[in-house]
Amino acid sequence: MAKTREKSGGSGKKSLKRKAAMEEPREGSVAGDGATEGVVQPPKATALPPGFSISEIKNKQRRHLMFTRWKQQQRKEKLAAKKKLKKEREALGDKAPPKPVPKTIDNQRVYDETTVDPNDEEVAYDEATDEFAPYFNRQTSPKILITTSDRPHGRTVRLCQQLSTVIPNSHVYYRRGLALKKIIPQCISRDFTDLIVINEDRKIPNGLILSHLPDGPTAHFKMSSVRLRKEIKRRGKDPTEHVPEIILNNFTTRLGHSIGRMFASLFPHNPQFIGRQVATFHNQRDYIFFRFHRYIFRSEKKVGIQELGPRFTLKLRSLQKGTFDSKYGEYEWVHKPREMDTSRRKFHL
Amino acid sequence: MVRRFSTEEGAFQCQRHCPGGEGTFRGLAQANDTLITCVDSGVLRVWHGDDKEAPSDPLLELKVGPGVCRMRQDPAQPHLVATGGKENALKVWDLQGSEEPVFRAKNVRNDWLDLRVPIWDQDVQFVPGSQKLITCTGYHQVRMYDPASSQRRPVLETTFGEYPLTAMTLTPGGKWVPKGPGWGSEGILHSPPTPPASCLLHSSVIVGNTHGQLAEIDFRQGRLLGCLKGLAGSVRGLQCHPTKPLLASCGLDRVLRIHRIQNPRGLEHKVYLKSRLNCLLLSGRANWRDELEEPRKHSEEPPENTEVDELWASLEVAAKRKLPRVDQGLRALEAQKRKKRWPAALSPQPCE
C-alpha cells in the first residue's frame, strides 16, 4: 500500500498502467509486486493470471482503462486480418475463392411450406373459384370507396385525397359516424368493388381496412410511417390521370399470395398501360411498403424514377373471410404475436 | 349432390342427386342402408341407400326450420338426429317416430337486462352413454341439454372467449366404467387391468372458435381445462381419436393439425394442405398399418365406426361457391406417408 501511495504522485497514464499491471495479481502475490516494482515495464504489456477477466477488476477507472485497451487491441487485430485477406485476394487474382455471402435475416429465413409454386394446380383451381376470379376474368372493373374512421383530422383527410389520386376510379366519402355494416350493403348496391377505411388515432392514420365488397375477404392492416406528398423530398409533380402499373414484390406464401391479389384487384386490370406511373407493394419481413413513382427509361438499362404520392408501410393483422364483421366473422388468418412471433427468421407473408 | 368416395381406391365411386331445399348441406348421416341429408333451409330427408335406383323420392321428409347449422346423428341410436341453427333451437328428431321432435329445447331466461338471449347453435354432439346433448353457439356459449330430465332449458351453460364457436368434439376421458357398451379395446393412459368390455366416460369437450382458439371444457363442472395453440384461422372441423389423447383439427388457414390433449398438451404434427379445409373425418380403423396387408377385420372395431368407414361421401361444389373442394386435399393426404397409425381423412360432411 505504501508503494502505491508513492506512485500516485506521478499520475500519468503510463504510471497508472504500471500500477494496474502490478495491482492485478492481487492477494497472495504482494511479494511479487515488490520484486517487479523496479523493473521498467512496457506500458501496454500486462500479464494476467489465467481465469481472470477484466470485469473482475473492482475499480471502475482501471477497469474502463483495461477494457478500452483491450478494445483497441481487438480493432487493430481485425484491421490487420482484413488487410491480410485483401492482399491475399489480390495476389491470387482470378483464382481467389468467391467472397462469402453475409448472413442476413432474409437469407436465413425458415423455409415456409406454404410457399406458392407457380405451377400448382390446386392453387390455380383455388384462384379460379375465389372471390377475385371475376376481377381477374375481366368481368368486373374496380370501383373503390375510401373513407376514414369518424371525425378525421387533417393528415388523414389529406392522405385519403392523395390515395384517391393514386387509385383510379376511387371516391372519398366522409364517414359521418355511420356503421361499416350499414355502409357495406349500400356500397354493394351502388356497385362498389372495394372499401378502404383508414383508421386514425391521435391525429395520425394508423390502420387500414381493405374489404373486397361483394362478400370478399377483409384485410386489416396496421399502418405506420405515413408520408404525405409534401413531406417527400425530391419528389416529382403531382400524378396525372393515367392508370398506374402495379408491382407486387415478394409475396411468396399462400397468405401473401392472397393479399397480393387483393392489392392487385384495386387497380384496373390492363396489361397495356399508358403513362409511366407505377405503384409498388413491396413485402419484406412481413411489412408491406407502398411507394408510388414515375419512371422514365433513359436507355435500355438505365431508368430514372421520381417519387410522387404518399408512402406508407403496412403490416397485416388479420384476414377475415367475409365482408367486415369483426365480431361474428370467420377469420382466415389472425396474427397472434405470442404464438407466431417466436422466431426471428420466420415470416408469414 | 352426394358422392361416395372410397379411400382404398382413392377416387369417387358413385354419386347421387339429392334435390330439394335450398342452401348447402349441413348434415349427412347413414343409418341402416338409408342416407339422411339436411340442408341449410331446414329440409331433412331420408333417402334409400341404394344408389342404383333412379333419383327417387325421399322416404321421409321433415321440415326442421330455417337456418340450420348442424345436423348430427346419435352414434348409439341411428334413428335419432339432432338439428340446431341460427334462431333455430335444438331439436331431436326420431326418424321412425312422429313428425314432431322428440325433444325441443327451450331458450334460456332473459338476461339481466330482460332481453331475449339470441340462439345460434353451431354444433351439436350427443354424449354417448346417456341421452345428453352438448351444443356450442355462435355467441360463445357451450350448453348441455338433458332430454331425460324434466327441464327443457340447458342443464349447464358456460362461455369461452369472445368469438363464435364453430366446431366441437368430445374427448375420451381418462376414466373407465366397467361393462358398458363396447367402445374400443385399446387402453389409454393410466388404465388398470380392465374387464374386457369397458367404455370411456366422456367428461370434456374441445371447442374451437373463429379466431383459431381451441379450448377443452369440462362439461361436468363447466370449467375450462386448458387451451391448445397453433391455429391461425377459424376452426372448421375437429375430431378426437376414440382411444388415444389426440385431436385432429382443420380450419380456414389450410393446415391440418394434430394435437396431443394430455401429458403434455401440445402440437404433435401439422400438414399443409392447400385448400381452405372444411371438415374432417377420422378413420375407424385403430391399427391402420397392420391392416394394410391383412384384409380388414370388422370384429375388432367398434360397431359405430364401421358406418363411418363405409360412408365416404363428398359434396360437389358449385362453380360459384367460395370454398373449394376438400377432396383434393384428401388425395394429397393419401399420397403422403403418414407417421401416425391412423390416417385423418378429409371429407366434408357439412360443406358449403
Side-chain angles (χ1 to χ4, degrees):
Chain A
M1 292 307 281
K3 299 164 205 164
T4 50
R5 271 196 211 118
E6 281 164 21
K7 288 268 189 278
S8 63
S11 59
K13 257 205 168 174
K14 274 195 180 175
S15 61
L16 268 174
K17 281 177 194 162
R18 213 175 293 159
K19 219 192 300 177
M22 291 196 289
E23 297 290 348
E24 277 138 15
R26 277 172 296 178
E27 306 103 22
S29 48
V30 180
D33 274 349
T36 54
E37 185 199 332
V39 176
V40 175
Q41 297 220 354
K44 294 203 176 150
T46 48
L48 296 180
F52 189 89
S53 73
I54 298 175
S55 54
E56 282 176 30
I57 304 175
K58 295 305 181 184
N59 186 332
K60 188 168 180 172
Q61 268 194 331
R62 261 178 239 150
R63 189 169 65 235
H64 180 69
L65 205 74
M66 292 304 291
F67 180 72
T68 38
R69 236 200 296 165
W70 178 80
K71 250 321 211 210
Q72 283 165 2
Q73 186 75 20
Q74 293 291 97
R75 240 178 275 145
K76 259 183 85 177
E77 282 170 16
K78 190 174 173 184
L79 209 61
K82 261 193 182 171
K83 268 194 176 168
K84 190 174 154 204
L85 205 63
K86 195 169 175 190
K87 265 194 179 166
E88 280 173 16
R89 278 193 92 85
E90 276 173 26
L92 281 178
D94 279 335
K95 290 178 278 176
K99 277 193 175 175
V101 178
K103 282 194 215 174
T104 62
I105 291 187
D106 299 300
N107 278 347
Q108 307 296 102
R109 182 178 175 174
V110 165
Y111 172 69
D112 200 332
E113 55 185 357
T114 64
T115 313
V116 172
D117 176 25
N119 307 328
D120 198 344
E121 54 173 38
E122 276 197 43
V123 174
Y125 179 80
D126 220 349
E127 291 180 1
T129 49
D130 79 349
E131 298 96 352
F132 298 108
Y135 165 78
F136 283 101
N137 294 335
R138 318 283 183 87
Q139 286 163 4
T140 53
S141 67
K143 186 176 173 193
I144 322 267
L145 178 75
I146 304 181
T147 184
T148 64
S149 54
D150 200 20
R151 297 186 142 248
H153 283 85
R155 263 187 91 86
T156 317
V157 169
R158 263 173 268 139
L159 177 68
C160 289
Q161 288 162 357
Q162 291 176 10
L163 261 185
S164 69
T165 58
V166 165
I167 305 176
N169 202 8
S170 59
H171 309 263
V172 181
Y173 281 87
Y174 179 54
R175 178 76 179 266
R176 284 185 118 239
L178 299 165
L180 275 182
K181 283 198 185 172
K182 292 197 177 139
I183 297 179
I184 285 172
Q186 291 193 23
C187 285
I188 297 176
S189 66
R190 277 156 227 236
D191 277 340
F192 278 95
T193 56
D194 288 275
L195 173 70
I196 298 181
V197 182
I198 299 189
N199 190 59
E200 186 203 7
D201 184 46
R202 300 188 77 177
K203 304 184 191 172
I204 44 166
N206 71 349
L208 185 99
I209 295 175
L210 173 57
S211 183
H212 191 72
L213 273 183
D215 65 287
T218 306
H220 176 36
F221 296 94
K222 183 164 63 162
M223 183 154 64
S224 51
S225 209
V226 178
R227 303 278 175 264
L228 301 175
R229 256 180 215 142
K230 63 176 186 175
E231 294 160 7
I232 297 177
K233 297 182 180 168
R234 293 182 287 275
R235 68 177 163 101
K237 290 187 186 162
D238 283 341
T240 56
E241 292 293 320
H242 295 109
V243 171
E245 191 186 334
I246 315 152
I247 295 181
L248 296 163
N249 264 344
N250 213 8
F251 287 95
T252 48
T253 65
R254 189 72 184 83
L255 178 68
H257 200 70
S258 320
I259 300 287
R261 292 184 96 220
M262 263 192 110
F263 285 129
S265 73
L266 289 177
F267 296 87
H269 192 88
N270 184 12
Q272 326 294 341
F273 30 85
I274 340 165
R276 291 177 277 114
Q277 288 173 148
V278 56
T280 310
F281 292 91
H282 175 87
N283 171 38
Q284 189 158 349
R285 296 195 199 176
D286 282 353
Y287 283 90
I288 302 171
F289 299 91
F290 172 78
R291 301 284 183 270
F292 192 67
H293 294 278
R294 182 181 285 134
Y295 62 88
I296 178 161
F297 276 102
R298 306 240 164 85
S299 69
E300 263 295 318
K301 305 242 172 127
K302 283 177 89 171
V303 63
I305 51 171
Q306 280 179 339
E307 183 161 7
L308 342 159
R311 136 204 315 192
F312 48 85
T313 357
L314 299 171
K315 185 169 188 193
L316 182 68
R317 280 174 71 172
S318 66
L319 179 63
Q320 190 212 319
K321 203 160 152 15
T323 53
F324 182 78
D325 188 354
S326 60
K327 219 167 144 191
Y328 300 119
E330 292 200 315
Y331 284 85
E332 235 189 89
W333 188 82
V334 176
H335 181 247
K336 295 183 186 173
R338 298 196 76 179
E339 286 178 33
M340 295 180 184
D341 283 350
T342 44
S343 165
R344 301 187 96 194
R345 282 173 247 114
K346 181 160 175 55
F347 306 109
H348 313 287
L349 267 189
Chain B
M1 182 79 68
V2 175
R3 282 166 158 206
R4 181 172 279 222
F5 183 88
S6 151
T7 42
E8 267 128 49
E9 292 157 38
F12 290 102
Q13 275 180 331
C14 47
Q15 65 183 41
R16 52 180 302 165
H17 205 55
C18 300
E22 292 164 354
T24 60
F25 278 104
R26 293 293 184 182
L28 204 59
Q30 200 178 33
N32 313 332
D33 202 32
T34 58
L35 185 69
I36 310 169
T37 61
C38 183
V39 204
D40 195 29
S41 61
V43 174
L44 190 146
R45 284 170 171 205
V46 183
W47 307 83
H48 262 301
D50 204 353
D51 306 318
K52 289 172 200 150
E53 281 183 24
S56 53
D57 290 326
L59 290 172
L60 180 66
E61 182 171 327
L62 289 172
K63 290 252 173 354
V64 180
V68 173
C69 285
R70 186 75 81 184
M71 179 210 67
R72 223 179 258 275
Q73 184 192 36
D74 190 352
Q77 294 162 292
H79 58 96
L80 282 183
V81 291
T83 58
K86 189 149 193 179
E87 295 307 325
N88 188 345
L90 177 71
K91 296 183 188 100
V92 181
W93 305 84
D94 189 352
L95 298 171
Q96 294 163 350
S98 63
E99 293 269 317
E100 289 297 314
V102 170
F103 172 70
R104 187 197 286 267
K106 197 171 168 184
N107 196 6
V108 292
R109 288 207 172 89
N110 289 352
D111 61 10
W112 61 292
L113 291 169
D114 202 22
L115 293 170
R116 178 189 171 265
V117 177
I119 302 174
W120 187 3
D121 286 324
Q122 289 257 37
D123 202 348
V124 188
Q125 284 278 357
F126 281 89
V127 181
S130 71
Q131 279 191 334
K132 297 183 189 159
L133 295 117
I134 307 188
T135 61
C136 68
T137 69
Y139 300 108
H140 47 85
Q141 297 147 331
V142 178
R143 291 174 173 161
M144 185 159 78
Y145 295 86
D146 196 355
S149 76
S150 59
Q151 64 177 34
R152 283 167 55 201
R153 287 207 166 113
V155 168
L156 184 76
E157 180 174 338
T158 45
T159 58
F160 166 68
E162 317 156 329
Y163 299 101
L165 302 172
T166 48
M168 185 166 78
T169 182
L170 292 164
T171 51
K175 297 185 183 158
W176 290 88
V177 169
K179 292 188 189 143
W183 243 106
S185 48
E186 284 187 3
I188 59 157
L189 312 166
H190 49 272
S191 55
T194 50
S198 45
C199 101
L200 296 154
L201 204 63
H202 295 258
S203 62
S204 60
V205 292
I206 296 189
V207 292
N209 68 3
T210 54
H211 256 228
Q213 294 161 348
L214 293 173
E216 188 178 352
I217 295 177
D218 183 355
F219 60 77
R220 284 174 210 292
Q221 296 173 321
R223 68 184 180 99
L224 181 70
L225 292 175
C227 286
L228 293 161
K229 296 201 290 192
L231 270 104
S234 169
V235 178
R236 281 289 176 98
L238 282 178
Q239 187 143 9
C240 257
H241 194 272
T243 46
K244 294 180 197 171
L246 294 166
L247 169 82
S249 60
C250 72
L252 290 180
D253 60 346
R254 306 164 202 264
V255 177
L256 169 75
R257 285 184 174 85
I258 294 150
H259 291 261
R260 182 168 281 275
I261 312 171
Q262 283 161 323
N263 325 339
R265 200 180 258 127
L267 182 69
E268 281 266 326
H269 192 60
K270 68 176 183 182
V271 185
Y272 170 64
L273 300 164
K274 299 166 199 162
S275 354
R276 294 187 195 115
L277 307 171
N278 217 345
C279 174
L280 70 96
L281 194 61
L282 286 179
S283 153
R285 294 176 280 184
N287 299 317
W288 181 60
R289 265 212 199 128
D290 303 333
E291 290 181 6
L292 271 180
E293 294 102 39
E294 299 163 0
R296 228 160 28 118
K297 289 178 194 158
H298 286 251
S299 52
E300 289 168 359
E301 295 146 19
E304 297 92 72
N305 286 339
T306 47
E307 283 176 8
V308 158
D309 264 0
E310 286 163 3
L311 176 67
W312 297 95
S314 152
L315 300 161
E316 192 183 69
V317 174
K320 293 176 208 163
R321 283 284 162 220
K322 288 178 271 182
L323 295 171
R325 282 208 302 225
V326 176
D327 50 304
Q328 285 132 355
L330 182 65
R331 263 179 240 140
L333 194 61
E334 292 294 311
Q336 290 169 15
K337 299 239 150 115
R338 301 287 297 151
K339 279 200 305 193
K340 295 285 153 190
R341 285 152 119 225
W342 46 268
L346 292 158
S347 103
Q349 267 179 344
C351 182
E352 291 181 17

